[in-house]
Amino acid sequence: MSVSQLLIGAVSLAAIAGLAVVPSLVDAYHLALGITLLQFTILATAWGLFSGPTRYVSLATTAFFGVGAYTVAVLGEQLPWPLVLTVAAVIGSVTSAIVGLSTLRLSGVHFVIFTFGLAELVKQLVVWFEVNKSRVLGRYIFLDITQQDIYWQLLALAVIVFAVGWLIARSRLGFALRIIGEDETVARHCGINVTFAKVALFVISAVFMTLVGAIMAPRWTYIEPSIAFNATISFEVVIMALLGGAHRVWGPALGAIPLTLLFEFLSARFPNTSTLIMGVVFLLIVYALPSGVVGLIEKIRQFRRGSAAQGSGT
Amino acid sequence: MTNAVLTGLVLGGMYALIAMGLTLQYGVARIMNLAYGEFLIGSAFASYFLFTGWAVNPLVGLIVIVPVSFVVSFLLYKIFLTPLVRRARTRDALEVDSILATFGLMFIVQGILLTMFGGAYFSYSFLAIPVTVVGEVLAMNRLVAFALAVVLGTVLYLLLTRTRIGTSIRAVAVDPASAPLVAINVPQLSALAFAAGGALVASAGVLISMFLTFSATSGVVFTMKALIVVVMGGIGNLMGCLVAGMLLGLSEALVATYIDPGLTIAVNFALFLGVLLVRPAGIFGRGGR
């Protein structure tokens, strides 16, 4: 292990410890803001886990987020909390495996179209089930979980998602996915089981999204399908991950933090025009920063390295 | 039963018309336009405005709204999307870029509509006269909309198959790389096809506004259905649009009547997946990609 690696490890440990004591230092408003920041950081990073290397644009974040939240609404009072989270994760992985197996064989565009409507589809099925079978639309969640608990759970999940992302990037699976992203035909000729690799990563990414939904659910106390399956979340997550740059594990977080703050500010100041401004931000990113902040940083680094002596690329 | 089939046919005709515009934009100009439904809603609002504000008959309104949308879409492609076409090295890269760009556009149009009209639902009463067709009562406005959709579809079909410019548009759809070899101006024709798609969706918006309620945020549903129809029918194929659109409209109407009106999207997706698993290139699509 080199010195720089040790340094990075020490800094990130210190950062985690620092973030863990935040709830005891700040007031309720800032705690809520911290929760939102963590929520979007995890969602964007999880999105980047799958969509970064494969370049499949997934708009299904809301679907999994909502599945997690709804699992808590249904089972929250019947089972102990860790078990509820486990069930949510299982349901999320089964749903995403079904979706992945049926759509990831198709070309990228078909996948986008399918995920575009997936949240709406799951929402309609939940509404249909609630209206016709269980005969309740809208449920209350009364759980003994404080804002601090939510914050700490999200922080733990954030650490896990980064660790998993780091491990995947160094594994055979991550390498296979990068090849698929470059050229799927080549990947198939190299003997990579393309469908398995894509579905596996899609499921991993979806489990994190489901867990975020489940952890966030106690915050609402009242939940109904239109709250749990709020389509804006999918869109926001895509913008954030793109701003950061989805081809690095830590890229999406770089986009999630400034944009969460921006949206928070905008929805407080200009509630009516926030959709419009979101669109403008989106276009600015697509036209001006096609490979995100990370891409920009890498370009600057390369430029500097180019003027110095030639070194081996990392 | 007859009523469900008639409703389904009218609905299917509308879906087919909407999808024809998108198949021009996507099949020829290679722009995967996710803001498509927003343009439909935009022209629906324009028609509403003309009708309630100046008492302009929506059918007359078509004469104003359709050329305006043609010009707007043309400029949009020239100014806004051409940089992306130039930047993209492969067709896949352009697809991803256009998805993201039109995604932003979708929010902008939606945001403008929201600030102008708010989130409420709008509708107006035009030609709401009951007419009896094969023993079932239907509203006049639906029949008129259906008839116009048939006319527009036929005109488009004839334009594409019988004229020189239509033939070159189809050539671009089949092989954009070889089209320039036979002196076809691909960028110009792509812009033209994109604009024609915009004009078609505007006419569909006006027709739909005559008999459906709409709001600033209901464009997404139309985009989704148009995409499903286009992909199901085979990208760039007009006959495919017609068959897939009818299939979608009929199945939606039948499920809404006999099973549950709350399951229409589930039907859409079941059909979509069913068709794609059997024929990945769509009903009329050729070859696998």
Side-chain angles (χ1 to χ4, degrees):
Chain A
M1 222 185 240
S2 69
V3 180
S4 66
Q5 270 174 324
L6 277 175
L7 202 66
I8 290 172
V11 168
S12 37
L13 274 180
I16 295 165
L19 284 171
V21 297
V22 162
S24 51
L25 301 175
V26 297
D27 56 10
Y29 169 74
H30 287 99
L31 182 61
L33 189 63
I35 290 176
T36 315
L37 279 171
L38 277 174
Q39 175 199 345
F40 279 113
T41 305
I42 301 170
L43 286 177
T45 309
W47 187 89
L49 278 187
F50 171 72
S51 299
T54 57
R55 298 189 189 165
Y56 273 75
V57 177
S58 161
L59 299 173
T61 312
T62 300
F64 300 122
F65 183 85
V67 164
Y70 231 84
T71 311
V72 172
V74 176
L75 296 176
E77 284 167 23
Q78 274 124 29
L79 298 173
W81 184 241
L83 211 58
V84 174
L85 289 185
T86 318
V87 172
V90 170
I91 295 178
S93 56
V94 170
T95 320
S96 57
I98 295 172
V99 172
L101 281 174
S102 50
T103 55
L104 284 172
R105 291 164 189 276
L106 309 172
S107 79
V109 174
H110 297 167
F111 178 76
V112 178
I113 297 169
F114 192 84
T115 57
F116 192 47
L118 185 67
E120 198 59 32
L121 172 67
V122 179
K123 178 171 137 189
Q124 211 182 45
L125 291 177
V126 169
V127 170
W128 180 80
F129 185 82
E130 294 278 62
V131 169
N132 291 298
K133 305 289 178 216
S134 58
R135 304 201 177 277
V136 280
L137 192 58
R139 290 165 178 271
Y140 289 93
I141 304 173
F142 295 121
L143 291 175
D144 196 16
I145 291 174
T146 60
Q147 299 280 318
Q148 270 98 336
D149 295 335
I150 294 178
Y151 179 89
W152 280 317
Q153 286 175 44
L154 284 177
L155 186 63
L157 194 64
V159 173
I160 298 171
V161 83
F162 279 113
V164 168
W166 188 80
L167 285 176
I168 287 176
R170 270 150 196 77
S171 69
R172 283 174 67 89
L173 183 63
F175 189 47
L177 280 159
R178 280 202 295 280
I179 299 175
I180 294 171
E182 291 295 331
D183 193 326
E184 201 168 320
T185 320
V186 170
R188 209 171 277 136
H189 280 280
C190 293
I192 294 168
N193 188 342
V194 175
T195 309
F196 171 79
K198 284 192 287 191
V199 174
L201 216 67
F202 188 61
V203 170
I204 293 173
S205 140
V207 165
F208 280 109
M209 293 168 179
T210 316
L211 282 175
V212 173
I215 293 173
M216 292 294 287
R219 234 186 156 194
W220 281 305
T221 60
Y222 175 76
I223 208 167
E224 60 169 27
S226 58
I227 301 176
F229 297 97
N230 174 8
T232 341
I233 293 179
S234 299
F235 304 144
E236 285 176 346
V237 165
V238 177
I239 310 180
M240 289 167 179
L242 286 176
L243 173 63
H247 58 291
R248 287 276 181 277
V249 175
W250 43 275
L254 287 184
I257 293 165
L259 281 183
T260 309
L261 294 174
L262 179 72
F263 290 148
E264 190 78 21
F265 172 78
L266 289 177
S267 58
R269 290 289 170 85
F270 315 100
N272 296 320
T273 49
S274 57
T275 319
L276 182 60
I277 297 169
M278 202 153 101
V280 175
V281 170
F282 210 120
L283 285 185
L284 281 178
I285 294 168
V286 173
Y287 280 89
L289 277 177
S291 45
V293 175
V294 174
L296 195 69
I297 294 173
E298 279 167 0
K299 210 180 268 176
I300 294 170
R301 262 196 204 161
Q302 234 165 34
F303 181 74
R304 282 202 188 144
R305 204 174 291 153
S307 57
Q310 224 165 15
S312 61
T314 44
Chain B
M1 181 71 193
T2 331
N3 199 334
V5 170
L6 282 178
T7 317
L9 281 179
V10 172
L11 210 59
M14 284 299 134
Y15 289 157
L17 182 66
I18 299 170
M20 279 176 190
L22 189 67
T23 210
L24 277 180
Q25 293 193 338
Y26 182 47
V28 181
R30 315 277 168 202
I31 298 295
M32 174 78 158
N33 190 355
L34 287 187
Y36 194 69
E38 265 55 41
F39 288 97
L40 186 142
I41 296 300
S43 62
F45 269 111
S47 173
Y48 171 85
F49 223 59
L50 287 175
F51 186 68
T52 53
W54 288 292
V56 178
N57 184 325
L59 300 177
V60 179
L62 271 178
I63 301 169
V64 184
I65 293 169
V66 170
V68 169
S69 341
F70 184 87
V71 174
V72 168
S73 298
F74 190 82
L75 292 178
L76 194 70
Y77 185 84
K78 278 285 174 191
I79 297 166
F80 181 76
L81 295 167
T82 310
L84 291 185
V85 178
R86 292 229 179 91
R87 187 170 89 186
R89 269 170 299 170
T90 63
R91 198 183 149 173
D92 285 343
L94 177 60
E95 260 167 17
V96 172
D97 267 357
S98 67
I99 286 171
L100 297 174
T102 54
F103 208 32
L105 195 64
M106 173 183 120
F107 280 114
I108 290 180
V109 178
Q110 210 178 80
I112 293 172
L113 289 175
L114 272 175
T115 41
M116 281 170 75
F117 300 100
Y121 277 85
F122 288 81
S123 67
Y124 55 88
S125 175
F126 171 71
L127 278 185
I129 316 158
V131 190
T132 315
V133 185
V134 285
E136 293 287 337
V137 180
L138 271 181
M140 185 69 182
N141 47 26
R142 284 179 186 249
L143 284 181
V144 170
F146 181 69
L148 272 174
V150 171
V151 170
L152 282 170
T154 317
V155 167
L156 182 69
Y157 183 76
L158 291 177
L159 275 179
L160 282 182
T161 50
R162 298 278 187 278
T163 65
R164 192 178 172 81
I165 198 161
T167 312
S168 18
I169 283 181
R170 283 186 297 136
V172 176
V174 172
D175 193 343
S178 319
L181 298 178
V182 288
I184 291 173
N185 187 345
V186 174
Q188 197 63 29
L189 275 180
S190 298
L192 200 68
F194 189 84
L200 271 178
V201 76
S203 63
V206 173
L207 296 181
I208 281 174
S209 73
M210 299 196 306
F211 63 92
L212 278 185
T213 53
F214 51 92
S215 77
T217 48
S218 48
V220 181
V221 181
F222 289 104
T223 311
M224 207 175 78
K225 287 184 177 164
L227 285 171
I228 289 179
V229 171
V230 166
V231 172
M232 251 170 38
I235 290 155
N237 190 310
L238 287 187
M239 275 315 279
C241 282
L242 187 66
V243 173
M246 287 295 176
L247 209 62
L248 199 68
L250 277 176
S251 55
E252 255 183 39
L254 288 176
V255 166
T257 317
Y258 291 105
I259 303 172
D260 196 310
L263 286 177
T264 47
I265 296 180
V267 177
N268 287 348
F269 275 91
L271 254 179
F272 179 61
L273 276 185
V275 167
L276 284 186
L277 289 180
V278 182
R279 288 190 65 93
I283 302 174
F284 285 87
R286 267 163 305 170
R289 243 196 328 137

